Amino acid sequence: MAGRPKTILSRIAQALPVVVGVVIVTFLLTRALPGDPAVYFAGPSADQNSIAEVRAALGLDKPLPEQFILYVGQLLHGDLGQSISTGQPVAVELARRLPASLELTLLALLLSCSVAVPLGVLAATRPGSWVDHLCRVLVTAGVSLPTFFTGLALIYLFYYLLGLAPTPIGRLDFLYLEPERVTGFFLIDAALAGDWETWLGALRQIILPAITLGLFTLAPISRITRASMLQALSSDYVRTARAAGLTGRTVVYRYAFQNALLPVLTTLGMVFSFSLGANVLVEKVFAWPGIGSYAVDALVVSDYAAVQGFVLAMALLFVALNLAIDIAYTLVDPRIGFEKR
Amino acid sequence: MALLDIRDLAVSFRTRRGTVEAVRGVSLSVARGETLAIVGESGSGKSVTSYALMRILDAGGTIKAGELTYGGVDLRRAGEREMADIRGREISMIFQNPRAALNPIRKVGRQIEDVLLRHGRATRLNARARAIEAMEAVRIREAGRRYHAYPFELSGGMCQRVVIALALACDPKLLIADEPTTGLDVTTQKAVMDLVAELIAERGLSAILITHDLGLAAAYSDRVAVMRRGELVEEGAAAEIFARPQHPYTQKLVAATPRQGVGVRELLPPEARTPAPPPRIGSRPLLEVVNLTKTFETGDGPVQAVKRVSFEIRQSESVGLVGESGCGKSTTSAMIMRLLDPTSGAILFDGQDLAETPARRFARDPRRAQLQLVFQDATDSLNPRWSARASIADPLARLGRLDRRARRACVEELAELVGLPGELLDRFPHQLSGGQKARVGIARAIALEPKLLILDEPTAALDVSIQAVVLNLLVDLKARLGMSYLFVSHDLQVVRLLCDRIVVMRGGEVVEQGPAEQVMGAPASDYTRSLLEAAPRPPSGEAGSRGLPPRAVPL
């Protein structure tokens, strides 16, 4: 299909203005926030002079356009600035914390999908049966319990009462050494290094927060799977397939499920975005060194560079995610790439 | 012995409003090599009967009673596994709306392969070759290339060929065709039906043709069964049943079918006929369309949808705009209605050029009230959350200058004018029948006493008996209100009943225009003639013997 690469390229081109817009908006937004970082960092005993000194050191005494040009120039060199609360370069901190958040979110989604999608399909093929009711109960429970509560409940049960889980602090127990960094995902890096003991340690740490987050995302995925499967199963093409003698498995998976996958993919993209944002609470409960808790801490102290870096990283992530969903769409649905003609 | 025997079949559906008896005590049989047509209007249970014998009823439907025997097998008691073996290999089905009947994201060739593999008619190694053979058998040219096509890349007629190929891939003995050509153009309909008839003859198949179209049933079947509200009312040889219908319902159905040499009043039952109003066509043109052209810019370059079309409509005259899908008739009517801007040309309405006002601004133009549209689908064109009263009052509130009380009185007057009982005015669209919704649509359109009414296939979705009533209503309204009609349709027989003059379009151009009798009786262009010939001959009073169908034309 000549249409597909063209569609993908044009989607990438459409993403560029979004990135530029995000750079401008985050810059202006952080400047507009109340609170003066110079005052904060000069300390409680500072006088006018020392505050002005700090302000000059941070480059905040220059006019806004000049600050912006400096900021963009640094960005182009991959320099996101220095976090004034931790003293570390923002780029380094993000590079360390982003994989932690991504690993958690991806594993949570993987767990959630592997339960929600089969559950939705089963519920749709047997509407009104016990599977359908189970699906409904599980899903309602998943969304109605806030993540920090599920997290605490799981810790109480598996760590405090049963002692099955390790201390819920961080990505890896202090007994283990961090695996050699390749992707930043401990599970993958440990597996690449062949260090299965560390792999198991990392898994034991991540499993509870991942389940906590996954439970929360169960609902939208299984609901949309059920709804779009029901629609696909009552369609004309499924009737044709049945009338031609095709049986359960072929009809359900090759005809109905492939068509039902399209809305599921869209939902998956949205769920991924909101769970990246929502996992701040989970990170706090499990002392997970992720990007969410970093951003909250930076925001509290008006740490411009850190907040800007965080928002930019998230924006790029969302753009990449939407792109990935669009590309997945063109792979599943042959009609895409022709609609605009 | 009959191949298929249905005895006292009863099917019911559980719905939110209780149980609906969709089929009640129907007995039918199909002999080897015989084609049986089941004819009926919507809700007659004709499709449900065939779904029941395939055991593919929708959720909530159950066979309550009766015997279904196919070649000695008890279909009602057969296991689900056994039924799946029978479907596609012994009994196959083709459906209406062929594009929706195919999996939209799977190559059509692969869909045929699925069926071949399921019934063991091919192995993984030769499946593709077999699928291409099956496509060639239904006269699909370049089957090897079309194998890779997705349904959205094929025309409606081509999709129906694929559905037929899929149904016949495993050499079934009985073919059930459920409204196989509804929604297709007349010439495509003829090509598809001729192909089906040819394949039936070639392979000695038995067939059940389910249709609402008496003409189609008469032309392509040996025996006809007429159903109404879940019951069989009459059964007999195709030629016999239309020449001498016995049951009053069959008589009404035959009478209501538009056909050559019959006026619009004769479609109605004799007791409902009133004298037709005399034609009073004015001498002054109301609408003059001059060299109207519309070019759409697309990714593949400009496409001329309408090319220098010219015609006129005089006062109190009705003009039919006829052609197949894609001929530009809808684009033309949308430009006259000022929903689209023409690329060039003039639309003179009462001497003023409407094309000078951009479509975007025309909604607020005072002349807007004088042009009204009646839509094809009465259901989709009404707001589902508005009562009939609100729908009819809407144009009065927007464009008229009436206070609330006067508007209420006006709505009631309009309802009476279109024959809609006053107590139905507070109902919502889903609580009204198809004919009643059509009346609401017409009442809404005439509310502002327009001078020109554009009717876009207003009866295409209606059953023939209701179509007869609506067509007569339109004739009466025109006489009473002195409106002009632009009647857009693909059905020449319907257009003839209502129109004084006919404009035939093809590929964006006018191929012929003239008085209705002349265009229908002595068409000047070959295209008009082919359109007339493609329409199945509705049964006339004389013996309509079933001739051998002419060979199908490969698409």
Side-chain angles (χ1 to χ4, degrees):
Chain A
M1 303 281 154
R4 285 185 190 175
K6 210 177 145 190
T7 318
I8 293 170
L9 279 179
S10 78
R11 291 276 200 279
I12 294 176
Q14 283 165 17
L16 287 177
V18 178
V19 175
V20 172
V22 165
V23 170
I24 297 173
V25 170
T26 48
F27 174 82
L28 291 177
L29 202 66
T30 44
R31 279 352 180 236
L33 287 175
D36 189 342
V39 176
Y40 182 85
F41 285 101
S45 59
D47 56 13
Q48 287 295 328
N49 281 341
S50 56
I51 289 176
E53 249 172 61
V54 173
R55 184 168 289 140
L58 292 172
L60 294 173
D61 55 339
K62 300 194 176 74
L64 265 189
E66 206 182 322
Q67 284 187 39
F68 182 68
I69 290 167
L70 279 174
Y71 170 62
V72 173
Q74 286 168 351
L75 264 191
L76 290 177
H77 289 99
D79 181 4
L80 294 173
Q82 202 89 1
S83 165
I84 34 189
S85 50
T86 64
Q88 298 261 9
V90 174
V92 172
E93 292 241 27
L94 285 181
R96 198 161 49 80
R97 286 171 167 266
L98 190 59
S101 284
L102 278 180
E103 187 176 30
L104 176 60
T105 311
L106 284 175
L107 188 68
L109 276 187
L110 200 69
L111 287 177
S112 156
C113 279
S114 59
V115 175
V117 171
L119 205 60
V121 171
L122 278 176
T125 45
R126 297 174 187 78
S129 70
W130 65 268
V131 186
D132 196 8
H133 292 302
L134 176 77
C135 174
R136 194 166 301 141
V137 169
L138 209 63
V139 151
T140 317
V143 272
S144 22
L145 299 173
T147 45
F148 63 85
F149 175 79
T150 349
L152 287 177
L154 288 177
I155 289 174
Y156 179 71
L157 188 66
F158 288 100
Y159 171 64
Y160 183 74
L161 285 186
L162 299 175
L164 289 174
T167 325
I169 293 172
R171 301 178 73 185
L172 206 52
D173 203 85
F174 62 88
L175 291 173
Y176 304 97
L177 286 175
E178 281 191 20
E180 195 187 340
R181 187 188 164 93
V182 183
T183 56
F185 290 20
F186 282 5
L187 286 177
I188 295 176
D189 288 351
L192 286 177
D195 184 355
W196 297 108
E197 210 175 319
T198 310
W199 187 84
L200 202 66
L203 184 69
R204 277 157 63 90
Q205 288 288 347
I206 201 172
I207 199 79
L208 284 191
I211 288 175
T212 309
L213 197 58
L215 272 177
F216 192 61
T217 58
L218 214 56
I221 300 173
S222 65
R223 294 307 285 180
I224 204 80
T225 308
R226 180 179 181 273
S228 55
M229 270 306 277
L230 275 178
Q231 197 186 5
L233 283 172
S234 65
S235 67
D236 284 6
Y237 53 84
V238 164
R239 187 182 58 189
T240 312
R242 287 225 166 98
L246 298 188
T247 42
R249 204 176 267 279
T250 321
V251 171
V252 170
Y253 292 101
R254 203 174 295 162
Y255 284 75
F257 185 64
Q258 284 195 3
N259 278 284
L261 208 55
L262 298 170
V264 174
L265 267 179
T266 313
T267 315
L268 208 58
M270 283 180 344
V271 167
F272 186 82
S273 323
F274 83 58
S275 51
L276 253 185
N279 67 11
V280 175
L281 287 172
V282 181
E283 288 179 8
K284 283 284 179 199
V285 170
F286 289 91
W288 196 257
I291 195 174
S293 41
Y294 176 68
V296 172
D297 295 342
L299 204 58
V300 171
V301 298
S302 301
D303 188 348
Y304 284 1
V307 173
Q308 278 170 357
F310 167 76
V311 175
L312 195 64
M314 289 303 255
L316 288 177
L317 205 62
F318 287 165
V319 167
L321 175 73
N322 275 315
L323 203 62
I325 296 282
D326 276 351
I327 291 168
Y329 241 93
T330 60
L331 294 179
V332 177
D333 192 342
R335 288 165 292 189
I336 290 172
F338 292 86
E339 60 194 3
K340 287 262 167 72
R341 291 208 183 161
Chain B
M1 196 199 109
L3 181 66
L4 175 77
D5 201 43
I6 304 174
R7 286 273 149 262
D8 300 318
L9 178 70
V11 179
S12 67
F13 281 88
R14 266 197 336 268
T15 70
R16 246 184 287 177
R17 279 180 286 174
T19 311
V20 175
E21 310 281 335
V23 175
R24 291 174 292 180
V26 166
S27 298
L28 286 169
S29 70
V30 182
R32 279 177 208 282
E34 182 189 41
T35 299
L36 169 75
I38 305 181
V39 176
E41 298 186 299
S42 50
S44 63
K46 57 191 193 300
S47 292
V48 174
T49 304
S50 65
Y51 292 172
L53 85 95
M54 289 288 269
R55 295 249 309 269
I56 51 167
L57 287 168
D58 290 337
T62 40
I63 301 174
K64 281 282 176 225
E67 298 296 322
L68 298 165
T69 320
Y70 168 83
V73 181
D74 182 347
L75 294 181
R76 194 181 162 197
R77 286 171 193 84
E80 185 47 40
R81 186 177 290 265
E82 202 181 339
M83 267 323 285
D85 286 340
I86 290 172
R87 289 181 208 130
R89 199 169 64 190
E90 292 292 332
I91 312 176
S92 263
M93 225 170 151
I94 56 181
F95 300 93
Q96 65 172 314
N97 197 357
R99 192 170 282 129
L102 291 169
N103 186 345
I105 59 170
R106 196 166 172 79
K107 289 176 178 175
V108 294
R110 296 294 297 272
Q111 299 188 39
I112 297 173
E113 268 181 29
D114 289 339
V115 179
L116 287 166
L117 292 169
R118 163 67 183 85
H119 293 296
R121 290 304 174 102
T123 60
R124 296 240 167 255
L125 294 175
N126 63 7
R128 176 178 296 196
R130 285 287 159 81
I132 292 173
E133 277 169 31
M135 290 168 79
E136 279 165 349
V138 296
R139 328 277 189 262
I140 294 177
R141 279 190 197 161
E142 297 185 76
R145 195 168 58 82
R146 293 250 162 79
Y147 170 95
H148 295 286
Y150 291 97
F152 75 97
E153 296 171 309
L154 301 174
S155 68
M158 191 53 77
C159 280
Q160 192 58 292
R161 277 168 199 263
V162 172
V163 174
I164 296 168
L166 198 143
L168 296 183
C170 297
D171 291 314
K173 309 281 184 304
L174 175 65
L175 178 70
I176 303 173
D178 183 10
E179 302 269 11
T181 56
T182 308
L184 299 180
D185 281 325
V186 270
T187 49
T188 315
Q189 162 170 296
K190 183 172 162 61
V192 166
M193 282 314 298
D194 286 350
L195 171 69
V196 170
E198 201 180 315
L199 291 167
I200 286 172
E202 200 176 281
R203 303 181 180 204
L205 300 180
S206 304
I208 299 177
L209 171 63
I210 295 163
T211 180
H212 67 281
D213 187 334
L214 294 182
L216 209 65
Y220 294 98
S221 72
D222 305 302
R223 222 148 44 79
V224 175
V226 182
M227 284 184 73
R228 180 180 65 163
R229 290 187 210 139
E231 284 171 347
L232 194 67
V233 297
E234 191 167 354
E235 194 188 343
E240 194 65 20
I241 207 161
F242 295 121
R244 279 171 288 281
Q246 301 299 312
H247 193 278
Y249 177 70
T250 317
Q251 289 167 357
K252 186 178 147 199
L253 216 54
V254 170
T257 304
R259 57 209 182 274
Q260 200 77 46
V262 171
V264 68
R265 280 293 191 255
E266 291 163 70
L267 300 182
L268 295 175
E271 65 276 9
R273 288 177 201 166
T274 48
R280 285 178 311 184
I281 299 172
S283 53
R284 214 160 53 82
L286 175 72
L287 178 85
E288 282 175 273
V289 175
V290 187
N291 288 336
L292 200 61
T293 299
K294 178 72 188 175
T295 309
F296 288 107
E297 293 297 335
T298 68
D300 300 332
V303 171
Q304 276 210 319
V306 175
K307 301 170 197 163
R308 301 177 67 78
V309 164
S310 300
F311 61 89
E312 62 168 51
I313 304 176
R314 282 179 283 171
Q315 276 176 336
S316 304
E317 186 183 37
S318 61
V319 171
L321 194 57
V322 183
E324 296 190 293
S325 52
C327 74
K329 61 183 192 297
S330 298
T331 311
T332 305
S333 65
M335 283 191 286
I336 295 169
M337 197 60 213
R338 303 301 298 114
L339 297 171
L340 273 180
D341 278 320
T343 309
S344 67
I347 303 166
L348 300 173
F349 185 76
D350 258 348
Q352 289 173 306
D353 191 359
L354 297 184
E356 282 171 3
T357 315
R360 213 158 31 84
R361 294 228 312 273
F362 195 74
R364 294 179 202 289
D365 196 286
R367 292 167 298 181
R368 175 65 182 78
Q370 298 175 8
L371 289 161
Q372 291 293 331
L373 186 60
V374 176
F375 297 92
Q376 172 167 9
D377 192 319
T379 310
D380 283 350
S381 61
L382 293 176
N383 186 331
R385 299 199 170 255
W386 282 7
S387 65
R389 187 189 301 280
S391 284
I392 300 173
D394 187 46
L396 291 170
R398 283 175 194 279
L399 292 164
R401 287 185 199 83
L402 293 174
D403 64 20
R404 190 177 286 263
R405 184 175 300 167
R407 218 185 293 150
R408 206 179 161 82
C410 188
V411 169
E412 270 151 26
E413 202 178 302
L414 283 164
E416 202 189 313
L417 202 59
V418 296
L420 187 71
E423 62 268 24
L424 297 184
L425 275 175
D426 291 310
R427 290 205 188 171
F428 291 93
H430 69 272
Q431 297 166 318
L432 297 170
S433 72
Q436 288 161 350
K437 278 182 278 199
R439 285 174 203 266
V440 174
I442 293 169
R444 178 174 62 173
I446 62 171
L448 295 165
E449 297 174 21
K451 289 183 180 169
L452 177 66
L453 201 58
I454 299 177
L455 300 144
D456 185 4
E457 307 254 14
T459 60
L462 300 176
D463 282 325
V464 277
S465 57
I466 308 204
Q467 167 175 285
V469 175
V470 171
L471 289 176
N472 276 284
L473 171 68
L474 288 169
V475 167
D476 293 339
L477 284 175
K478 186 165 88 90
R480 269 182 81 167
L481 305 174
M483 292 178 286
S484 301
Y485 284 168
L486 178 64
F487 194 100
V488 182
S489 178
H490 70 280
D491 190 336
L492 272 167
Q493 291 296 345
V494 171
V495 167
R496 179 186 60 83
L497 289 169
L498 211 66
C499 296
D500 307 305
R501 275 186 321 109
I502 295 180
V503 178
V504 183
M505 283 185 72
R506 183 192 199 183
E509 286 170 305
V510 173
V511 292
E512 178 168 5
Q513 59 176 310
E517 292 313 316
Q518 184 192 318
V519 172
M520 295 287 291
S525 94
D526 290 338
Y527 179 64
T528 315
R529 210 168 299 132
S530 74
L531 277 184
L532 281 167
E533 277 165 12
R537 280 297 126 79
S540 57
E542 307 90 61
S545 65
R546 180 190 178 203
L548 275 177
R551 290 198 73 83
V553 193
L555 289 176

